[in-house]
């Protein structure tokens, strides 16, 4: 499944590091960008490229939550249910999504479009409750907005992220970004949401409005 | 620097500390947990192991520590903290905080541990069980749901893992990575779901896997062969020495009602530390698996072997040997004392130097090399520890002397010891040692050796296969002389070094005394009470067979020799057919089938004695199976000698040991070594290659019979060719490759690897690749290699 | 009334704030240029003088950390930026990097030069794709501009900066686990000593700093240690990002001098959500013992928070009002620690497994008072007995919540269930009103 081009990309990932073994994490992200999850073929290839045992690769792959050892959806939805998000609506959103999609936690819809996972704190607490899709931010979610989001996914037209690119990339596309590849979309989307700017805006208003 | 100053500077700094109110002084760098041990204070522990890097994971060994009045704010893991001057340690015995911390950790460890001690193999010798009793609370407060896993899974055909019992101390995974260099088992998943495992179906096929079973502090790892066989308290343990190779492992043999149930690595810091290889651990069933002889056999007038009484058989043997021209072949597995018995029997009872312990490919160059550079020398494991470089010549430590491999690996890991491997093929072991692989065409080792730059701190480890290419040992001798490097000759079999020292070879009497040296002969004549000893250098193994075939020898005394270990096995079998043969064996073999008298002997576990390992160091052992009626070779040889009225007078091991002790060391001249030139490589036709091989640790060896679980972990049988040859032949990995010569052919799956373009490698004695039996050659000869 | 002091956030309101052009409009990369003309030791001294302390939670003096790197040892040195922001409640570094990744890149250039590192890494958590994009682009643009790579700023210095993306493991925020992860192993903490300053990445001298710490450096170099010193309290100098979240009228980021109080931040931002009162809050993430309304006036600096029995941590102010069940909140945090425990040591691995079971029973009304005692004793067996601070952190919410809200735990036991309506504490509830 991995082509000559893939091997070249993987070699270039390895060359970023002073010691090749450091490349194992971006290589696993890269495998997910091609295969959708960490396949045995991917593990065996990494083991070969880094000249380490397959057991050592799988030891690493199974340690980190983002590496999936079975297929996920084209759109992987994570609902934050760490305390703050859970209390502010994350629990309700997760329950509704489970029944709406007819899947359990870590499940995938039968059409392969959407998978669901409850996630831990994603560093966006001032936007709670937070939902992540393919690890893009969906801030200040409600039960309804979350349902709309997954419905859009199943139709192939998901709502764009709140703070992210102009449209939601697929799981594989975003896995390539996590492998360190530039998809040219860094300039898309806003620079900051309202909460991020709140302190700045207050400071500016105390000083007599916006500078300049 | 004066000698005195030098000694002072080497003295380790000592540190005094107080543990539970008692002062103790230990070398700098000692960990608190071991300083406490010195006082007899046992701090409970699981992850700690003195030969593994400290990890501090299990937290069982928490103690309170203060240094010069400054107390650590919280209890510290005593397995990770080195001692310091002014340190005051309070263990569970004197610190309520430490005691509560330990009890707390113990409760947490037991929380998810199944209560299956009654059916667990570890019960009765389980550190968790023992320490739960000594350092835990009597009742658990856990009322919740335990973590469950599928009950034991196979990590290999030999090692099973019960993840429910595992306390995640990571001793096994750390051993595999740090000691064996085989990261085939790893910790997987995370947190409470963390578990030891292999990758998919790639089994834990490390030559050292059994050590993980031994150091597992719970019943999580078990060996398939011992599972459910015994209770530790029903076993009788005897210290023993391993008979499998020349590493010289200290061992423990556990016997129940006359039957060996398991063997464990013993503890000898100078040799095997606390490890052994899987062959040493698990290959012991050959003693019982084969159909052992229960009584002597004598060939009758009709030419049929039939049971005889001991007096009859001894008389028959004596009759066939008395007044005859006889040779002695003793194999490489005899104990030092038995080999001495054969050596003395040859000289005293048979009046000949025609004796050879080398039941393999040999050369005169090797015989002379052994006499000049090996016998009565002492290169040791400590020399590897101190070496600046190690040069491997025709020696694959992982396959041929696994503990030597572990020792080199340790130094490579700890201080990046530089290893050079002059070999015909890159091996897994050489890769693990980060060795500088010097690729040679079989037969062309000497040039590569000559180009090595060693120093007087270097060690040359040369294997027995060096005898297979002329000039190799000469080059080793020259290099050692030029550089001052030490030489160690490491044969494969446990008995070879002892047999060499015992003089079971044509050019040497016991203690390295040259047969050609009159003073040396006088020494032995006086000890043995004989008037003369022949001054003629005796025949080698192949020469003895040849002489028998030519009618120059009438009789042969053969102990523990397999004709198929010799390159010209047809000649050997013909000689055995022709001569009067007295065979000392434990079970039927190609030799016993042709023998005139078969005398059953004791297996190693049934007798006492010693082996001299490659260092020349005595590895003494007692009989593990106390009620065996089987006689040692020594006792039988003595009986024959008596019957010949040429007694050797050493019917027991202790008598032999006493006699050896009186010999002292030969302080005369060593025989001079005559240099031998390498032979130029022959021109190869298309599809021809030079065959090269070595024996793998796990193969079809006689002493591995009857242990299928162990055999299941053997490396795959392959034929190795270079990428160039593979391209020429249009062969890829896994394709069938046919290797043939005028004698026969074998077909094996190809493996394309780093090997000389003109060479082909196959294992010497593995399933499907029995080179000596099928091709009557194992190295250095031309074979035809084609895609099958 | 403490005034807000936007420094890092000063230009976040500009739409292109994340681009190199925008950054350069506001003196971007001038500090790096200035620094490269100075002696590295002088830089270390300025950072020491500024009083900058680690913004990742522990508050270790940054300049001192840099000073620990042995000089002239002929070894490679490394700078590793910890951008693995994962502590529950913590949400400052990600918006910072989304809005202005270049300030971190510039900080990396200065810090690397100071510690004589030719290779720097940013270890960013993997669950923030757009932040990864922005940072990756910023690094690419800095290379193109000659600020990274060979002969940076024409100074003769070389520096390579690699963005390393994590894959979901809270423990990798622990600096030695981060290093193991960066070396390609499972992210489990290492034994210390040796400390990273002596044997860190690839066993070479390494500085590991938080994003905000490094991002604070360019302004210090440009404006001077005195300027930075002039903000904050006696031992906690400078300004920092406070992240307000939860049941407040307006959550968000507030850049203020160290020592500001929650009461001040709430007053500035508009207080609690309408009609509700403060019940409990965390000063610096879930691993810092909770506070209540008693602590509204506690100065939020390292010393002030410690004196009140907690830790400043990441200044993640998670605010919960009276609708929130404390047992539910603590159970969820404990489940987090169980999920994120790396598995290396017994107390944390097994302890969190057990804690969750007891808390679940308590929340469901199936617990007993004995369970409460057991919880506290278990915490005592985990705190200070674990390999790293993760296990310690797991006990913080439990012990501090029992200290302040024991009655509420008892109420769960006596009423045989949770007396709270989860709907009342959701954001939708606020929105509906």
């Amino acid at each position: 499944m991995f082509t000559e081009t893939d091997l070249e990309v993987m070699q270039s990932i390895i060359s970023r590091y002073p010691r090749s073994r450091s490349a194992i994490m971006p290589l696993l992200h890269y495998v997910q960008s091609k295969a959708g999850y960490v396949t045995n073929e991917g593990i065996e290839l990494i083991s070969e490229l880094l000249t380490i045992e397959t057991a050592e690769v799988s030891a690493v792959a199974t340690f980190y939550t983002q590496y999936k050892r079975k297929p996920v959806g084209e759109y992987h939805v994570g609902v934050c249910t760490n305390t703050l998000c859970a209390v502010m609506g994350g629990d309700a959103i997760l329950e509704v999504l489970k029944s709406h999609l007819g899947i359990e936690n870590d499940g995938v819809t039968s059409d392969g479009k959407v998978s669901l996972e409850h996630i831990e704190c994603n560093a966006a607490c001032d936007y709670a409750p937070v939902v992540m899709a393919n690890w893009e931010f969906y801030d200040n979610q409600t039960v309804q907005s979350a349902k709309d989001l997954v419905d859009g996914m199943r139709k192939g037209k998901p709502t764009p992220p709140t703070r992210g690119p102009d449209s939601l990339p697929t799981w594989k596309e975003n896995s390539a970004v996590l492998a360190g590849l530039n998809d040219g979309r860094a300039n898309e989307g806003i620079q900051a949401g309202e909460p991020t700017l709140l302190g700045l805006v207050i400071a500016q208003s105390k000083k007599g409005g916006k500078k300049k | 620097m004066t000698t005195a100053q030098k000694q002072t500077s080497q003295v380790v700094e000592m540190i005094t500390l107080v543990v539970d109110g008692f002062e103790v002084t230990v070398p700098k760098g000692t960990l608190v947990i071991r300083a406490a041990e010195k006082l007899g204070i046992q701090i409970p522990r699981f992850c700690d192991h003195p030969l593994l890097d400290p990890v501090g994971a299990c937290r069982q060994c928490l103690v309170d520590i203060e240094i010069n009045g400054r107390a650590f704010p919280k209890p510290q893991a005593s397995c990770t903290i080195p001692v310091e001057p002014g340190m005051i340690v309070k263990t569970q015995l004197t610190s309520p905080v430490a005691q509560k911390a330990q009890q707390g950790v113990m409760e947490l460890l037991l929380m998810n541990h199944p209560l299956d001690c009654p059916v667990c193999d570890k019960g009765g010798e389980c550190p968790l069980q023992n320490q739960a009793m000594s350092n835990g609370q009597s009742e658990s407060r856990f009322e919740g749901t335990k973590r469950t896993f599928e009950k034991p899974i196979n990590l290999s055909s030999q090692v099973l893992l019960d993840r429910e019992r595992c306390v995640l101390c990571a001793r096994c995974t750390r051993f595999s990575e740090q000691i064996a260099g085989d990261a085939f088992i790893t910790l997987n998943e995370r947190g409470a779901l963390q578990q030891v495992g292999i990758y998919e179906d790639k089994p834990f096929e490390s030559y050292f896997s059994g050590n993980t079973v031994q150091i597992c502090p719970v019943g999580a790892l078990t060996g398939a062969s011992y599972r459910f066989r015994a209770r530790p308290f029903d076993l009788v343990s005897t210290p023993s020495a391993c008979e499998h190779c020349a590493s010289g492992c200290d061992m423990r043999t556990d016997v129940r009602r006359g039957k060996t149930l398991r063997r464990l690595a013993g503890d000898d810091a100078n040799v095997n530390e606390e490890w052994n290889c899987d062959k040493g651990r698990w290959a012991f069933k050959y003693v019982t698996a084969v159909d052992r002889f229960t009584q002597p056999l004598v060939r009758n007038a009709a030419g049929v072997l039939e049971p005889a009484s001991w007096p009859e058989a001894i008389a028959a043997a004596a009759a066939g040997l008395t007044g005859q021209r006889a040779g002695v072949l003793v194999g490489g597995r005899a104990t030092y004392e038995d080999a001495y018995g054969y050596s003395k029997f040859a000289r005293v009872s048979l009046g000949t130097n025609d004796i050879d312990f080398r039941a393999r490919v040999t050369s005169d160059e090797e015989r002379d090399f052994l006499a000049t550079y090996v016998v009565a020398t002492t290169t040791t494991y400590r020399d590897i520890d101190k070496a600046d470089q190690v040069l491997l010549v025709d020696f694959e430590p992982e396959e041929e002397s696994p503990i030597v491999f572990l020792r080199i690996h340790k130094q490579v890991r700890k201080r990046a010891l530089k290893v050079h491997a002059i070999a015909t093929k890159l091996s897994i072991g050489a890769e693990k040692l980060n060795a500088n692989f010097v690729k040679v065409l079989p037969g062309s080792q000497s040039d590569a050796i000559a180009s090595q730059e060693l120093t007087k701190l270097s060690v040359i480890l040369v294997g027995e296969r060096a005898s297979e290419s002329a000039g190799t040992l000469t080059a080793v001798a020259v290099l050692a002389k030029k550089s001052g490097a030490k030489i160690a000759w490491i044969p494969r079999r446990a008995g070879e070094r002892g047999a060499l020292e015992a003089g079971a070879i044509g050019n040497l009497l016991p203690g390295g005394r040259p047969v050609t040296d009159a003073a040396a002969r006088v020494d032995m004549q006086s000890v043995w009470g004989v008037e003369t000893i022949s001054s003629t250098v005796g025949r080698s193994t192949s020469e003895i067979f040849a002489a028998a075939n030519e009618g120059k020898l009438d009789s042969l005394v053969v102990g523990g020799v397999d004709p198929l270990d010799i390159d010209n096995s047809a000649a050997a079998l013909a000689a055995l057919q022709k001569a009067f043969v007295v065979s000392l064996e434990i079970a039927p073999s190609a030799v016993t089938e042709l023998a005139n008298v078969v005398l059953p002997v004791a297996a190693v576990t049934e007798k006492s004695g010693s082996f001299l390992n490659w260092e020349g160091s005595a590895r003494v052992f007692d009989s593990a199976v106390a009620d065996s009626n089987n006689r040692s070779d020594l006792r039988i040889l003595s009986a024959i000698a008596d019957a010949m009225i040429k007694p050797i007078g050493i019917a027991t091991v202790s008598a032999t040991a006493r006699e050896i002790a009186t010999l002292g060391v030969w302080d005369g001249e060593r025989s001079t070594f005559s240099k031998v030139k390498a032979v130029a490589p022959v021109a190869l036709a298309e599809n021809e290659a030079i065959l090269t091989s070595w024996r793998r640790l796990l193969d079809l060896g006689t002493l591995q019979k009857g242990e299928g679980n162990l055999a299941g972990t053997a490396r795959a049988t392959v034929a190795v060719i270079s990428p160039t040859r593979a391209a020429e032949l249009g062969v890829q990995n896994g394709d069938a490759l046919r290797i043939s010569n005028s004698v026969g052919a074998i077909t094996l799956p190809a493996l394309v690897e780093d090997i000389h373009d003109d060479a082909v490698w196959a294992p010497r004695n593995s399933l499907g690749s029995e080179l000596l039996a099928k091709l009557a050659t194992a190295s250095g000869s031309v074979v035809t290699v084609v895609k099958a | 009334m403490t005034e807000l002091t936007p420094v890092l956030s000063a230009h976040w309101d500009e739409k292109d704030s994340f681009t190199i052009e925008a950054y350069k409009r506001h003196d971007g990369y001038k500090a790096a240029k200035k620094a490269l003309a100075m002696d590295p030791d002088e830089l270390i001294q300025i950072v020491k003088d500024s009083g900058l302390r680690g913004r990742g939670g522990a508050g270790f003096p940054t300049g001192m950390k840099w000073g620990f790197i042995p000089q002239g040892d002929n070894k490679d040195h490394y700078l590793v930026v910890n951008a693995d922001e994962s502590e529950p409640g913590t949400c400052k570094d990600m918006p910072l990097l989304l809005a202005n990744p270049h300030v971190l890149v510039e900080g990396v250039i200065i810090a690397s030069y100071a510690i004589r590192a030719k290779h720097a890494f940013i270890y960013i958590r993997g669950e923030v794709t757009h932040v990864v994009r922005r940072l990756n682009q910023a690094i690419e643009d800095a290379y193109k501009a000659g600020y990274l790579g060979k002969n940076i700023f024409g100074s003769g210095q070389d520096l390579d900066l690699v963005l390393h993306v994590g894959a979901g493991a809270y423990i990798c925020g622990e600096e030695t686990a981060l290093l193991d992860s960066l070396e390609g192993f499972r992210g489990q903490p290492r034994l210390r000593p040796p400390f990273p300053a002596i044997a860190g990445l690839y066993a070479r001298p390494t500085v590991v700093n938080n994003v905000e710490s490094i991002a604070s450096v360019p302004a210090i170099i440009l404006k001077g240690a005195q300027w930075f010193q002039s903000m904050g309290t006696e031992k906690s100098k400078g300004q920092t990002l406070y992240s307000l979240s939860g049941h407040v009228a307006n959550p968000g980021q507030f850049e203020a001098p160290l020592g500001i109080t929650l009461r001040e931040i709430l007053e500035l931002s508009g207080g609690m959500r309408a009609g509700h009162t403060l019940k409990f809050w965390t000063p610096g993430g879930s691993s810092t013992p909770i506070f209540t309304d008693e602590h509204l006036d506690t100065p939020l600096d390292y010393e002030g928070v410690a004196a009140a029995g907690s830790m400043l941590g990441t200044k993640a102010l998670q605010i919960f009002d009276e609708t929130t069940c404390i047992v539910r909140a603590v159970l969820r945090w404990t489940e987090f620690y169980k999920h994120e425990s790396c598995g290396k040591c017994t107390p944390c691995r097994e302890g969190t497994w057990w804690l969750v079971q007891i808390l679940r029973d308590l929340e469901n009304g199936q617990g007993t008072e004995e369970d409460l005692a057991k919880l506290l004793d278990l915490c005592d067996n985990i705190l200070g007995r674990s390999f790293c601070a993760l296990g310690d952190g797991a006990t913080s919410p439990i012990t501090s919540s029992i200290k302040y809200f024991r009655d509420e735990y008892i109420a769960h036991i006596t009423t045989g269930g949770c007396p709270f309506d989860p709907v009342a504490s959701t954001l939708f509830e606020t929105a509906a009103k």
Side-chain angles (χ1 to χ4, degrees), chain B residues 369-380:
Chain B
F369 179 86
L370 294 177
T372 308
Y373 297 105
V374 178
V375 74
T377 63
T378 49
T379 303
T380 66

PDB file of all heavy atoms in Angstrom, chain B residues 369-380:
ATOM      1  N   PHE B 369      48.599 -25.120  17.611  1.00  0.00           N
ATOM      2  CA  PHE B 369      48.154 -23.834  18.172  1.00  0.00           C
ATOM      3  C   PHE B 369      47.672 -24.031  19.617  1.00  0.00           C
ATOM      4  O   PHE B 369      48.015 -23.255  20.514  1.00  0.00           O
ATOM      5  CB  PHE B 369      47.020 -23.280  17.296  1.00  0.00           C
ATOM      6  CG  PHE B 369      46.440 -21.967  17.763  1.00  0.00           C
ATOM      7  CD1 PHE B 369      47.019 -20.760  17.385  1.00  0.00           C
ATOM      8  CD2 PHE B 369      45.306 -21.930  18.564  1.00  0.00           C
ATOM      9  CE1 PHE B 369      46.481 -19.554  17.809  1.00  0.00           C
ATOM     10  CE2 PHE B 369      44.768 -20.727  18.977  1.00  0.00           C
ATOM     11  CZ  PHE B 369      45.360 -19.541  18.597  1.00  0.00           C
ATOM     12  N   LEU B 370      46.910 -25.101  19.818  1.00  0.00           N
ATOM     13  CA  LEU B 370      46.385 -25.368  21.157  1.00  0.00           C
ATOM     14  C   LEU B 370      47.526 -25.599  22.138  1.00  0.00           C
ATOM     15  O   LEU B 370      47.487 -25.129  23.278  1.00  0.00           O
ATOM     16  CB  LEU B 370      45.451 -26.577  21.130  1.00  0.00           C
ATOM     17  CG  LEU B 370      44.152 -26.402  20.324  1.00  0.00           C
ATOM     18  CD1 LEU B 370      43.341 -27.703  20.324  1.00  0.00           C
ATOM     19  CD2 LEU B 370      43.320 -25.259  20.884  1.00  0.00           C
ATOM     20  N   ALA B 371      48.528 -26.306  21.692  1.00  0.00           N
ATOM     21  CA  ALA B 371      49.639 -26.627  22.584  1.00  0.00           C
ATOM     22  C   ALA B 371      50.481 -25.395  22.909  1.00  0.00           C
ATOM     23  O   ALA B 371      51.003 -25.254  24.007  1.00  0.00           O
ATOM     24  CB  ALA B 371      50.519 -27.698  21.942  1.00  0.00           C
ATOM     25  N   THR B 372      50.580 -24.487  21.944  1.00  0.00           N
ATOM     26  CA  THR B 372      51.442 -23.325  22.154  1.00  0.00           C
ATOM     27  C   THR B 372      50.709 -22.154  22.790  1.00  0.00           C
ATOM     28  O   THR B 372      51.243 -21.470  23.653  1.00  0.00           O
ATOM     29  CB  THR B 372      52.055 -22.879  20.813  1.00  0.00           C
ATOM     30  OG1 THR B 372      52.650 -24.007  20.197  1.00  0.00           O
ATOM     31  CG2 THR B 372      53.115 -21.799  21.025  1.00  0.00           C
ATOM     32  N   TYR B 373      49.474 -21.923  22.375  1.00  0.00           N
ATOM     33  CA  TYR B 373      48.802 -20.682  22.760  1.00  0.00           C
ATOM     34  C   TYR B 373      47.590 -20.852  23.674  1.00  0.00           C
ATOM     35  O   TYR B 373      47.044 -19.872  24.161  1.00  0.00           O
ATOM     36  CB  TYR B 373      48.362 -19.912  21.504  1.00  0.00           C
ATOM     37  CG  TYR B 373      49.518 -19.475  20.662  1.00  0.00           C
ATOM     38  CD1 TYR B 373      49.820 -20.130  19.469  1.00  0.00           C
ATOM     39  CD2 TYR B 373      50.331 -18.420  21.081  1.00  0.00           C
ATOM     40  CE1 TYR B 373      50.914 -19.740  18.703  1.00  0.00           C
ATOM     41  CE2 TYR B 373      51.421 -18.023  20.315  1.00  0.00           C
ATOM     42  CZ  TYR B 373      51.713 -18.685  19.129  1.00  0.00           C
ATOM     43  OH  TYR B 373      52.783 -18.290  18.393  1.00  0.00           O
ATOM     44  N   VAL B 374      47.158 -22.079  23.880  1.00  0.00           N
ATOM     45  CA  VAL B 374      45.898 -22.228  24.607  1.00  0.00           C
ATOM     46  C   VAL B 374      46.055 -23.004  25.908  1.00  0.00           C
ATOM     47  O   VAL B 374      45.653 -22.526  26.972  1.00  0.00           O
ATOM     48  CB  VAL B 374      44.821 -22.893  23.721  1.00  0.00           C
ATOM     49  CG1 VAL B 374      43.532 -23.097  24.513  1.00  0.00           C
ATOM     50  CG2 VAL B 374      44.559 -22.040  22.481  1.00  0.00           C
ATOM     51  N   VAL B 375      46.654 -24.178  25.821  1.00  0.00           N
ATOM     52  CA  VAL B 375      46.691 -25.008  27.015  1.00  0.00           C
ATOM     53  C   VAL B 375      47.395 -24.259  28.152  1.00  0.00           C
ATOM     54  O   VAL B 375      48.365 -23.525  27.930  1.00  0.00           O
ATOM     55  CB  VAL B 375      47.360 -26.381  26.710  1.00  0.00           C
ATOM     56  CG1 VAL B 375      48.873 -26.234  26.565  1.00  0.00           C
ATOM     57  CG2 VAL B 375      47.027 -27.407  27.777  1.00  0.00           C
ATOM     58  N   ALA B 376      46.820 -24.368  29.338  1.00  0.00           N
ATOM     59  CA  ALA B 376      47.393 -23.752  30.549  1.00  0.00           C
ATOM     60  C   ALA B 376      47.531 -22.230  30.474  1.00  0.00           C
ATOM     61  O   ALA B 376      48.326 -21.649  31.193  1.00  0.00           O
ATOM     62  CB  ALA B 376      48.750 -24.389  30.884  1.00  0.00           C
ATOM     63  N   THR B 377      46.755 -21.592  29.592  1.00  0.00           N
ATOM     64  CA  THR B 377      46.714 -20.124  29.612  1.00  0.00           C
ATOM     65  C   THR B 377      45.413 -19.694  30.274  1.00  0.00           C
ATOM     66  O   THR B 377      44.491 -20.492  30.416  1.00  0.00           O
ATOM     67  CB  THR B 377      46.756 -19.521  28.192  1.00  0.00           C
ATOM     68  OG1 THR B 377      45.583 -19.956  27.491  1.00  0.00           O
ATOM     69  CG2 THR B 377      47.989 -19.951  27.448  1.00  0.00           C
ATOM     70  N   THR B 378      45.355 -18.439  30.691  1.00  0.00           N
ATOM     71  CA  THR B 378      44.133 -17.967  31.336  1.00  0.00           C
ATOM     72  C   THR B 378      43.705 -16.619  30.783  1.00  0.00           C
ATOM     73  O   THR B 378      44.138 -15.575  31.271  1.00  0.00           O
ATOM     74  CB  THR B 378      44.320 -17.817  32.863  1.00  0.00           C
ATOM     75  OG1 THR B 378      45.523 -17.088  33.074  1.00  0.00           O
ATOM     76  CG2 THR B 378      44.385 -19.148  33.555  1.00  0.00           C
ATOM     77  N   THR B 379      42.888 -16.663  29.780  1.00  0.00           N
ATOM     78  CA  THR B 379      42.161 -15.467  29.362  1.00  0.00           C
ATOM     79  C   THR B 379      40.753 -15.673  29.912  1.00  0.00           C
ATOM     80  O   THR B 379      40.238 -16.781  29.873  1.00  0.00           O
ATOM     81  CB  THR B 379      42.135 -15.354  27.825  1.00  0.00           C
ATOM     82  OG1 THR B 379      43.486 -15.340  27.369  1.00  0.00           O
ATOM     83  CG2 THR B 379      41.436 -14.088  27.382  1.00  0.00           C
ATOM     84  N   THR B 380      40.164 -14.606  30.461  1.00  0.00           N
ATOM     85  CA  THR B 380      38.909 -14.796  31.189  1.00  0.00           C
ATOM     86  C   THR B 380      37.852 -13.777  30.785  1.00  0.00           C
ATOM     87  O   THR B 380      38.114 -12.852  30.008  1.00  0.00           O
ATOM     88  CB  THR B 380      39.128 -14.644  32.707  1.00  0.00           C
ATOM     89  OG1 THR B 380      39.487 -13.278  32.948  1.00  0.00           O
ATOM     90  CG2 THR B 380      40.243 -15.552  33.212  1.00  0.00           C
TER      91      THR B 380
END
